[in-house]
Amino acid sequence: MSLNARIAEVTDRIIARSADSRRTYLDRMRRAADQGPARSHLTCGNQAHAYAAMGQDQGALAEGRAPNIGIVTAYNDMLSAHQPFERFPALIKDAARARGATAQVAGGVPAMCDGVTQGQPGMELSLFSRDVIALAAGVALSHNCFDAAMYLGVCDKIVPGLIIAAATFGHIPAVFVPAGPMTSGLPNDEKSRVRQQFATGEVGRDKLMEAEMASYHGPGTCTFYGTANSNQMLMEFMGLHLPGSSFVNPNTPLRDALTIAATERAIGITALGNDYRPAGEVLDEKAFVNGMVGLMATGGSTNLVLHLPAMARAAGILLEPADFADISAVTPLMARVYPNGLADVNHFHAAGGLGYMIGELLDAGLLHEDAVTVAGDGLSRYRQEPKLEGDKVIWTDGAGTSLNEKILRPASDPFQGTGGLAELTGNLGQGIMKVSAVAPERHVIEAPAAIFHEQGDVKKAFQSGQLNRDVIVVVRFQGPRANGMPELHSLTPVLSVLQDRGHKVALVTDGRMSGASGKVPSAIHVSPEALDGGLMARIQDGDLIRVDAVKGTLDVLTEGVADRAPVTPDLSANSHGIGRELFEVFRRTAGPATSGAGVVV
């Protein structure tokens, strides 16, 4: 089928908008590539330092005639999603050596967990950790010894940060290697039910801890469809994973075989061979459009609406909020994975997963088939699924039909005709709402405002009964310049309780909420933020606000708001403690949410 006219239109305007910056970027990458294998330009002393610890691989490295892979890893054993990466470097090195190549751990990058820092001061470092990861990966690759890079990362800011680095070093190929989701534990809806019971005092902390531990119980990503698993989807739609590798569980024979296969592919696509695929050419306009289609079709995390523009800017590509909205308008919502449904990502994968979805979207003309990927030319390769044949991976035709239409539906008969995201624009600024998990009757909320500067104060107001009414909760001064734009997930249980009591409830914030925002309508990423001239700094308790995901508007209806003086907050508490004092320069220089809230791009 020919490409959908709206997808073609959005792609063409991105190409036109980015023409100058993309040309400059590609010229820079091609000049770097023209210099040839990096190690040939190092002095003997440089190389001796680089190879001193490499044991049996020293000779092969010194000769410099075979590919050398730089491994950039987010391994730590603090986080379930990244703990499996402990074993990957040894697998990669052995696989490279068996094929006459070499591999080195070029460096590590930090990986923090939003699940650990939710509602805590550390969450104020979360978004900025993306830029730190890009910087750390840049340091790792600055040794200039590598013909390709393999990036080991999964979760929320890690993959976007690594993509920024991969684009910056876009003259060498980049293969992203996932670790996979943990096996299914306590169902997500049951975990959510216990959280709400705890919020209302029906159960104690012992029952809450029991439920949380049963849900987050082993190695791998959390099984709900938040930012971490949206990242994995994105890497597959953008052609940076091997086909079908995103949702294979950790520490399984297939997972290990896929890591070995990824190593083989990294070796095969360097400039030393006949199938050179530099990252800068994989990360083109079509790849980013395909990623946005995947985001909408799966109802993925709104954090990616923040990260994708930053990732694209690193490759000289300029994305705008309207691009997301227009793609959402023509992309069917094909999946129901928690928080949009009861299934988890393991159930989604078993039902046909990304291979089935990519095939359906290709057949519907909603994806660029002629994309360049690390697996080869053409996105049709990603219709296939990996299987073991002995200890080797082979790819076979994926599911031609959904194996569970309660979880995964065809593009011709989706859960809803448009994607899971709405752009909101009005006198309060620009924001977005994830509507895929919100009941249609809640897509429009008009109610008086209750103003807060801290999410903890919202909880106190809830506990004292002040919010037991129709209300739009406004949590302001949560943007990147104010306090690093923390996620506000801890508000979800209390707002859900109010909604379940029959009240009209919505959230408006210049902060973040991401893929776990659930069933409460939430206008997030509002820009300009309150600290940077946004009208939110002038609204007061009781002002009438309308959040309309149908018309795509976000307005304060009370007259005279713009004539008021803006509130000047006391943000001194955000400037120190838990490392926040180290990030003052990030808060001062962060860009707006509409362009990715970036510091290094």
Side-chain angles (χ1 to χ4, degrees):
M1 180 177 286
S2 60
L3 187 66
N4 176 277
R6 181 68 67 87
I7 299 296
E9 176 192 340
V10 172
T11 306
D12 288 345
R13 77 184 185 213
I14 293 171
I15 291 172
R17 182 192 307 139
S18 310
D20 290 343
S21 55
R22 179 67 174 169
R23 186 184 307 111
T24 300
Y25 169 80
L26 289 175
D27 286 346
R28 190 167 63 247
M29 293 303 108
R30 287 164 185 160
R31 286 196 302 272
D34 287 345
Q35 296 176 10
R39 299 190 307 290
S40 65
H41 301 286
L42 301 181
T43 69
C44 293
N46 294 151
Q47 292 190 62
H49 279 285
Y51 312 150
M54 290 303 292
Q56 62 181 303
D57 292 324
Q58 279 182 314
L61 283 162
E63 291 176 8
R65 296 173 184 167
N68 185 38
I69 298 170
I71 304 168
V72 179
T73 178
Y75 162 72
N76 63 49
D77 60 9
M78 172 76 183
L79 308 184
S80 63
H82 294 88
Q83 185 274 339
F85 286 134
E86 181 179 19
R87 299 175 53 248
F88 282 33
L91 285 171
I92 292 167
K93 289 179 183 182
D94 288 346
R97 192 177 299 118
R99 287 148 189 85
T102 53
Q104 298 177 278
V105 175
V109 301
M112 66 177 292
C113 179
D114 292 352
V116 176
T117 57
Q118 284 297 342
Q120 306 299 321
M123 174 54 81
E124 295 177 19
L125 308 186
S126 174
L127 176 60
F128 292 146
S129 75
R130 180 192 67 194
D131 296 68
V132 173
I133 288 159
L135 291 166
V139 170
L141 296 174
S142 69
H143 293 105
N144 208 24
C145 292
F146 310 109
D147 302 290
M150 295 179 70
Y151 295 91
L152 315 184
V154 175
C155 281
D156 296 16
K157 270 63 59 189
I158 294 87
V159 166
L162 292 175
I163 287 286
I164 292 171
T168 304
F169 288 80
H171 61 290
I172 63 173
V175 177
F176 278 66
V177 186
M182 68 178 68
T183 56
S184 300
L186 182 75
N188 285 298
D189 61 321
E190 176 62 17
K191 174 194 67 181
S192 179
R193 186 183 67 83
V194 175
R195 284 179 173 178
Q196 288 189 219
Q197 287 179 321
F198 178 74
T200 58
E202 297 174 57
V203 300
R205 185 169 294 276
D206 57 336
K207 292 297 182 184
L208 178 64
M209 178 61 79
E210 181 182 321
E212 298 287 358
M213 294 291 284
S215 180
Y216 307 119
H217 64 90
T221 60
C222 310
T223 59
F224 70 88
Y225 194 56
T227 311
N229 288 315
S230 296
N231 280 339
Q232 305 316 296
M233 172 280 300
L234 192 70
M235 293 300 92
E236 201 147 329
F237 269 80
M238 293 180 69
L240 289 158
H241 278 174
L242 292 184
S245 62
S246 295
F247 298 132
V248 175
N249 300 125
N251 303 317
T252 60
L254 181 56
R255 177 85 276 158
D256 287 353
L258 282 165
T259 301
I260 293 168
T263 307
E264 295 170 351
R265 192 58 186 153
I267 293 168
I269 60 176
T270 72
L272 298 175
N274 298 318
D275 192 19
Y276 178 44
R277 294 177 179 272
E281 294 185 13
V282 174
L283 288 166
D284 66 3
E285 295 91 343
K286 292 178 181 179
F288 281 99
V289 169
N290 284 347
M292 287 190 280
V293 171
L295 183 66
M296 304 310 165
T298 58
S301 168
T302 53
N303 269 334
L304 270 300
V305 182
L306 193 69
H307 295 317
L308 274 163
M311 294 155 61
R313 287 171 72 89
I317 297 168
L318 306 178
L319 303 182
E320 294 181 352
D323 300 329
F324 292 88
D326 286 351
I327 288 174
S328 181
V330 295
T331 303
L333 180 67
M334 296 171 60
R336 288 287 192 198
V337 186
Y338 189 86
N340 322 10
L342 300 182
D344 67 22
V345 293
N346 292 312
H347 304 138
F348 167 78
H349 186 63
L354 296 178
Y356 171 76
M357 178 174 279
I358 288 172
E360 283 286 304
L361 291 166
L362 282 169
D363 290 344
L366 292 166
L367 291 171
H368 290 280
E369 199 287 325
D370 58 339
V372 178
T373 80
V374 298
D377 291 340
L379 196 63
S380 291
R381 295 172 182 270
Y382 287 77
R383 306 174 79 128
Q384 296 183 311
E385 63 183 14
K387 293 183 180 178
L388 278 178
E389 190 174 82
D391 60 353
K392 302 287 187 182
V393 177
I394 61 169
W395 275 267
T396 63
D397 291 341
T401 59
S402 172
L403 302 181
N404 188 335
E405 291 200 356
K406 294 180 180 179
I407 301 171
L408 183 59
R409 297 185 66 85
S412 59
D413 185 23
F415 290 103
Q416 62 187 49
T418 60
L421 197 79
E423 181 190 18
L424 307 176
T425 303
N427 61 17
L428 281 175
Q430 282 184 294
I432 58 169
M433 181 190 294
K434 181 176 179 179
V435 296
S436 53
V438 178
E441 63 271 20
R442 297 184 178 123
H443 285 186
V444 180
I445 301 291
E446 185 176 309
I451 310 298
F452 300 92
H453 295 179
E454 299 286 346
Q455 56 183 317
D457 291 338
V458 180
K459 296 179 188 178
K460 292 175 184 176
F462 166 78
Q463 291 164 352
S464 66
Q466 297 175 46
L467 300 179
N468 199 23
R469 54 188 170 88
D470 291 353
V471 63
I472 292 183
V473 173
V474 177
V475 188
R476 62 190 178 189
F477 301 109
Q478 303 297 310
R481 286 181 175 268
N483 65 351
M485 206 178 187
E487 289 185 330
L488 306 174
H489 284 177
S490 64
L491 299 181
T492 300
V494 297
L495 297 179
S496 296
V497 169
L498 294 173
Q499 185 172 265
D500 290 346
R501 289 173 179 170
H503 301 304
K504 295 178 180 179
V505 180
L507 172 70
V508 174
T509 181
D510 48 9
R512 293 185 295 134
M513 202 73 163
S514 96
S517 54
K519 61 189 180 180
V520 177
S522 301
I524 62 176
H525 304 181
V526 176
S527 182
E529 62 177 285
L531 193 67
D532 197 29
L535 191 65
M536 271 200 299
R538 301 172 189 265
I539 59 177
Q540 300 173 356
D541 286 330
D543 285 345
L544 191 63
I545 292 178
R546 183 178 177 88
V547 178
D548 190 335
V550 177
K551 294 182 179 178
T553 59
L554 176 63
D555 294 292
V556 55
L557 305 180
T558 303
E559 294 183 0
V561 173
D563 298 327
R564 299 173 187 160
V567 170
T568 302
D570 178 6
L571 299 176
S572 59
N574 304 123
S575 64
H576 61 274
I578 318 295
R580 287 177 288 180
E581 47 269 86
L582 301 175
F583 285 78
E584 177 59 31
V585 66
F586 285 65
R587 290 189 291 272
R588 287 202 307 265
T589 57
T594 49
S595 60
V599 174
V600 300
V601 290

